[in-house]
Amino acid sequence: MNDSKRPRIPRGLKQDGPAIWSYGFRPFFLGGAVWAVVTMVLWILALAKGLPLGGDFGAPLWHAHEMVFGFAPAVLAGFLLTAIPNWTGSLPVAGRPLIGLVGLWLAGRIAMACAGVTGTVLASFLDAAFLPVFLALCAREIIRGRKWNDLKVLAGVFAICLGNLGFHLALHLGGDPHLWLRGAVAGYVALILIIGGRIIPSFTRNWLNQRGVTLMPVAYNRFDMGVIVFSALALAAWTFAPEERLIAAPALVAAALNMARLVRWRGASVRAEWLLMVLHLAYAFVPLGLIAIALAALGVIQPVSALHVLTVGVIATMMLAVMTRATRGHTGRPLAASGLTIASYLSLFAAALARPLADLTGWPGVMEASGTLWILAFTLFILEYGPMLIRVRRKPRGEGA
């Protein structure tokens, strides 16, 4: 058959296999959302009923680990395995290699949940395998595509990978696993500073341009670079000395810089479209998280409260925002938020605000309410977006990741 007459297969979609294995965002977004619900249900049961979790890891560390190194890496993998082919022009990871990568992630989740049976050494080994493989895969694709400017994204992925390895080594050899958790959280926030600075003003500019608006978001310049570098240094200081009073000043300066950066993106002008506005709202938790770091350093709030502003407020809300937009964009749905999508956003925002409130007040039921809101947010995502993720792609109607 002449190549010009050969039917065109959408990039990354195999005609002879299930659609879910055609692109990284499909299995990893769905798997990450399901795991977000399962882990929170188990954590609430551990709090309320004393359900043993994580074997010798202990329920609190298991919960912290599975949020930072279980749920979040799945969403990150789904995003980068979809975005990097767009950046480099290469074919996405699909089919058997994608199945193998998902299987490696899932093996880590099962091993950590069943550490009481398998033992912590085997659980650590299985869990630690996914992130280095994922990092190597991303590095290969970026280097092959000669997208040297995108290598900075790998720094954040490396920090997360190193954080997980350090977490396990600290548990087995002696050390502070919380330091490595903070390091990974700082890595996620750094990625949001970098990637958010790319996609939020870009999507905002496209939306405004389609409506004939002439006042656009400020283009990326040295100010943005300076904000990223200064914020990364403040986060590094917090990683190693979260209760040191000296880190309060740089954290507050970084908060002010990020707020100024957010204002430059003109988020108020897109308030009519929730699918876009939610990206701006999620980024707003970055300065809030940095303020929380400063308050914790000054002894006003507990360090765990600052940690939850970053994990639930910054990381989870941005991930849900990206998951909904990328899924719609890459499955050919309109880039507009439905009622269920808006409800999922509001539920997670409420969870993000309620979780540090539970630490601050000690009021009974607030922590459980935060967990319930978290479960609701990701359950709504699964109900609405699950069918999109497992079905054949439609003709695209807009940008995705």
Side-chain angles (χ1 to χ4, degrees):
M1 177 182 288
N2 188 300
D3 287 344
S4 63
K5 298 180 180 179
R6 186 171 296 160
R8 184 177 183 272
I9 301 173
R11 193 176 65 164
L13 179 59
K14 297 182 66 176
Q15 288 183 323
D16 58 349
I20 194 170
W21 304 118
S22 64
Y23 242 121
F25 76 93
R26 291 178 179 270
F28 277 116
F29 283 0
L30 184 57
V34 170
W35 194 241
V37 172
V38 170
T39 52
M40 191 58 70
V41 169
L42 293 176
W43 175 235
I44 290 175
L45 289 175
L47 291 174
K49 304 294 183 181
L51 178 71
L53 288 173
D56 290 341
F57 290 118
L61 276 179
W62 176 86
H63 165 68
H65 179 276
E66 288 308 292
M67 289 294 103
V68 176
F69 299 117
F71 151 73
V75 181
L76 179 62
F79 174 78
L80 287 181
L81 290 176
T82 305
I84 289 176
N86 288 341
W87 301 344
T88 63
S90 61
L91 290 173
V93 176
R96 289 181 180 178
L98 181 57
I99 293 172
L101 195 60
V102 173
L104 197 59
W105 172 79
L106 186 58
R109 309 288 57 77
I110 295 172
M112 289 297 293
C114 301
V117 177
T118 64
T120 55
V121 173
L122 179 58
S124 293
F125 177 79
L126 291 173
D127 173 69
F130 170 73
L131 279 167
V133 173
F134 169 59
L135 175 61
L137 183 61
C138 291
R140 184 194 70 178
E141 295 303 310
I142 289 175
I143 292 171
R144 276 185 177 179
R146 298 181 179 275
K147 293 292 183 178
W148 311 119
N149 192 46
D150 293 325
L151 284 174
K152 60 180 177 289
V153 172
L154 299 185
V157 180
F158 177 76
I160 297 163
C161 179
L162 185 64
N164 194 31
L165 293 172
F167 175 90
H168 288 294
L169 289 174
L171 287 175
H172 293 294
L173 302 179
D176 180 13
H178 296 93
L179 180 150
W180 299 99
L181 283 167
R182 290 193 300 273
V185 169
Y188 283 114
V189 177
L191 282 173
I192 289 170
L193 294 172
I194 295 168
I195 300 175
R198 171 184 292 188
I199 65 173
I200 298 174
S202 174
F203 292 165
T204 301
R205 187 176 297 108
N206 292 344
W207 192 87
L208 293 174
N209 187 55
Q210 291 170 3
R211 284 150 186 81
V213 179
T214 56
L215 187 58
M216 295 291 174
V218 178
Y220 184 93
N221 55 28
R222 291 182 180 179
F223 175 79
D224 295 270
M225 187 181 300
V227 173
I228 292 171
V229 171
F230 192 89
S231 300
L233 292 173
L235 289 166
W238 167 74
T239 298
F240 290 100
E243 298 182 62
E244 174 58 57
R245 294 178 66 89
L246 290 176
I247 72 169
L252 289 173
V253 173
L257 290 173
N258 276 283
M259 183 57 71
R261 190 185 193 205
L262 182 61
V263 170
R264 285 155 52 98
W265 294 340
R266 303 202 65 243
S269 62
V270 299
R271 58 186 178 275
E273 179 45 64
W274 265 95
L275 203 69
L276 183 52
M277 183 64 182
V278 69
L279 292 168
H280 293 265
L281 293 175
Y283 194 92
F285 274 97
V286 172
L288 288 178
L290 289 163
I291 291 171
I293 286 174
L295 293 177
L298 295 173
V300 179
I301 63 176
Q302 294 296 316
V304 70
S305 298
L307 180 67
H308 282 121
V309 175
L310 294 171
T311 54
V312 184
V314 179
I315 299 170
T317 58
M318 184 61 77
M319 285 186 168
L320 182 61
V322 169
M323 288 162 70
T324 52
R325 185 180 188 88
T327 299
R328 286 187 171 275
H330 283 280
T331 60
R333 270 73 180 185
L335 289 177
S338 68
L340 278 180
T341 298
I342 295 172
S344 70
Y345 295 155
L346 294 177
S347 296
L348 193 55
F349 284 139
L353 295 173
R355 184 59 188 84
L357 182 64
D359 297 325
L360 287 168
T361 65
W363 292 341
V366 178
M367 186 178 295
E368 289 79 1
S370 177
T372 301
L373 288 165
W374 170 284
I375 292 168
L376 176 61
F378 286 100
T379 298
L380 291 174
F381 174 86
I382 294 167
L383 291 175
E384 182 173 8
Y385 290 87
M388 301 182 196
L389 292 168
I390 63 176
R391 291 174 183 166
V392 175
R393 166 186 173 139
R394 296 178 181 176
K395 184 178 179 180
R397 298 184 183 179
E399 79 264 70

